[in-house]
Amino acid sequence: MPLQTVIDSALAQTPPGRVVWVALSGGLDSSLLLTLAAEACRRHPRPLRALHVHHGLQAAADDFERHCRRLCSRLGVPLCVERVAVDLAAGKGLEGAAREARYAAFARRVAPGETLWLAQHRDDQAETFLLAALRGSGVRGLAGMPPLRTWRGRALTRPLLTVSRSALEAEAARLDLAWVEDPSNADEGLDRNFLRATLLPRLEARWPRAGAALARSAALAGEAEGLLGELAELDLARLGGDPACLAAGELGALSPPRQRLLLRHACQRLGLPTPPASRLATLLAQLGARHDGEARVAWPGAEARLWRGRLYLMVPLPALPAGWERRWEGASPLHTLLGVCEVRLAGPTEGEAAGKNDLTLRPRRGGERLRLAGRGSRDLKRLLQELEVPPWRRQRLLVAWHLEEGGAETPVALLDPLAGRWLALAEGWRAQAGAVSRENPAAC
């Protein structure tokens, strides 16, 4: 397919008036993509911008920026330069840390609803497939880079994913295009560079269409991944539809491959890292834990908790520092490490309207009692058992204490900052969240 047709087809996926961004590194691929995009946006008017991420990792970084400025000036395309700090101490390796910094820059500049074009091509896809296979990845990893996906409300598009590097080089020569070579591309100590410079040429010397075949396999794996996603979504619907809370018994009734598939799918739906194989096996082995027991399996960036026949997936929960407390007048939003509660509390007398209370917030310590309307004094431990609040949430609740005349303090409300709501109120007290107001609820 001619390159002009490829670019026009990609541009047609963006509604008129929506901004198209090109991630411009300054190398051949992205310089050519921006040049072709500028021509296409003149034929089919769309607002076009370029985004260059300055990593500052090598002396040539300033040369990349200067080239990008010259190219954008010649094409008449506005350029944004994002300077980032790459966290090499994060344990993700140079490439992983640079990628994280780059995507953070994308999120800052590209607004939700806009489109970002990335310049990866067919040979990049072949390399990605080989790297995934060498890591022992499953279908999702072998699928490589999708031609189009939604990321944080933005459309990430790879228009050149079916085009070979040699075809791009030929087009760049025809246009007499200038670009900057990244010196790090010569470092075969990096896995991708080794594949590009040594392994793939040898494969193609024996099998001339090896790169195309590997990219085709990645595309087929992508189709299979899509079908598996549909199956996982059907299983999720049967288990209640909430990826954060799964029925453990029904999950355990599925075959082991479907259990693993559903858990990975649920994590992806929640934006959580998927568990490594060893953690996933440990987690699935816990499904038969007794009904009233509690189990926890954690992996970097996520954790799973099993309680009363439900499997909960979540980010690791923070805890408040020892001795934490805060004065509160009953109206302003409560910002804590656990979350934000936008609750207004009003006492039983006219002088205790919302915003005029003398309250102190402290974590629940045990032994507190709350006087409920029509139920008398209730121990909070028993009340939370009645409300079926999971144990890990009970440890992160806040009790609002009211300063009475004479200096005594009385607990008047139980707040859940993780959920941003109140759970129980003392007799005579009222709470409001948004436009909803309820008196003395057992929970809301």
Side-chain angles (χ1 to χ4, degrees):
M1 183 184 297
L3 267 173
Q4 177 179 317
T5 304
V6 170
I7 298 299
D8 285 349
S9 176
L11 193 62
Q13 298 176 32
T14 301
R18 296 282 181 88
V19 176
V20 175
W21 291 80
V22 173
L24 180 63
S25 68
L28 181 150
D29 309 331
S30 64
S31 296
L32 179 59
L33 179 59
L34 181 65
T35 301
L36 297 174
E39 294 175 355
C41 287
R42 284 192 288 269
R43 292 192 299 271
H44 313 285
R46 297 284 196 287
L48 177 66
R49 298 175 186 169
L51 174 58
H52 174 70
V53 179
H54 189 298
H55 296 88
L57 293 173
Q58 50 186 302
D62 290 337
D63 294 334
F64 301 152
E65 181 181 339
R66 281 191 288 270
H67 165 75
C68 292
R69 291 190 182 281
R70 286 194 298 267
L71 178 61
C72 289
S73 177
R74 180 172 66 80
L75 296 173
V77 176
L79 172 67
C80 293
V81 176
E82 278 281 324
R83 293 177 176 268
V84 299
V86 178
D87 184 4
L88 298 178
K92 299 180 179 179
L94 174 62
E95 293 177 87
R99 182 183 185 277
E100 184 171 281
R102 189 161 55 250
Y103 272 76
F106 294 163
R108 286 192 295 271
R109 284 291 184 175
V110 182
E114 296 178 343
T115 298
L116 176 66
W117 283 11
L118 304 171
Q120 286 94 355
H121 48 74
R122 192 180 71 190
D123 294 28
D124 293 325
Q125 185 75 305
E127 294 163 9
T128 302
F129 179 88
L130 280 174
L131 286 170
L134 291 168
R135 287 194 297 264
S137 299
V139 173
R140 181 176 176 81
L142 295 174
M145 299 172 287
L148 172 65
R149 73 179 177 104
T150 300
W151 174 75
R152 299 186 185 180
R154 301 148 176 90
L156 298 188
T157 303
R158 295 179 172 88
L160 304 178
L161 206 54
T162 60
V163 183
S164 69
R165 166 77 180 197
S166 60
L168 298 181
E169 290 172 346
E171 181 67 9
R174 186 185 71 81
L175 295 172
D176 194 24
L177 184 68
W179 66 88
V180 180
E181 289 288 354
D182 186 342
S184 68
N185 288 340
D187 180 7
E188 292 193 31
L190 300 176
D191 292 341
R192 189 175 288 273
N193 289 347
F194 172 75
L195 292 179
R196 181 181 304 133
T198 300
L199 184 57
L200 274 172
R202 295 195 65 181
L203 289 176
E204 291 187 334
R206 178 68 178 264
W207 296 281
R209 292 191 53 78
L214 292 170
R216 174 64 178 161
S217 293
L220 293 173
E223 287 187 8
E225 169 67 12
L227 292 173
L228 289 173
E230 293 178 14
L231 174 61
E233 195 62 29
L234 290 173
D235 283 341
L236 178 60
R238 280 193 286 269
L239 269 67
D242 181 1
C245 182
L246 304 171
E250 295 178 38
L251 175 61
L254 298 174
S255 66
R258 285 174 73 168
Q259 293 176 16
R260 293 191 291 270
L261 174 67
L262 179 54
L263 283 173
R264 292 192 184 103
H265 179 75
C267 287
Q268 290 156 16
R269 282 275 307 272
L270 295 167
L272 298 173
T274 54
S278 60
R279 294 281 80 195
L280 189 56
T282 301
L283 175 56
L284 292 174
Q286 298 290 335
L287 292 180
R290 70 184 193 275
H291 178 77
D292 60 345
E294 181 187 356
R296 173 181 177 269
V297 177
W299 59 96
E303 64 183 20
R305 293 176 179 263
L306 184 67
W307 182 69
R308 291 195 176 181
R310 311 293 295 180
L311 182 65
Y312 299 84
L313 298 171
M314 64 193 81
V315 297
L317 297 175
L320 292 173
W324 183 95
E325 68 175 37
R326 179 172 298 174
R327 297 291 293 273
W328 185 46
E329 85 294 342
S332 60
L334 298 173
H335 293 268
T336 74
L337 292 174
L338 304 175
V340 180
C341 274
E342 295 199 18
V343 175
R344 295 173 63 84
L345 288 185
T349 67
E350 290 185 5
E352 293 171 341
K356 297 182 179 180
N357 298 287
D358 191 355
L359 301 168
T360 301
L361 297 169
R362 300 189 187 98
R364 178 176 163 267
R365 297 170 181 169
E368 299 94 343
R369 302 183 69 85
L370 201 63
R371 180 168 295 279
L372 303 178
R375 300 187 63 185
S377 178
R378 300 289 295 171
D379 180 86
L380 287 187
K381 179 180 178 179
R382 293 184 179 277
L383 180 61
L384 292 172
Q385 290 173 345
E386 292 175 14
L387 296 174
E388 296 191 340
V389 177
W392 58 90
R393 296 188 80 95
R394 298 177 201 173
Q395 299 163 8
R396 292 165 172 83
L397 299 178
L398 297 177
V399 179
W401 296 81
H402 182 240
L403 184 63
E404 309 285 352
E405 292 184 9
E409 287 187 317
T410 303
V412 297
L414 184 62
L415 306 175
D416 183 356
L418 286 169
R421 66 179 186 176
W422 75 94
L423 292 177
L425 297 174
E427 182 175 14
W429 283 75
R430 302 176 302 284
Q432 182 177 3
V436 179
S437 178
R438 298 172 62 182
E439 294 196 12
N440 302 314
C444 69

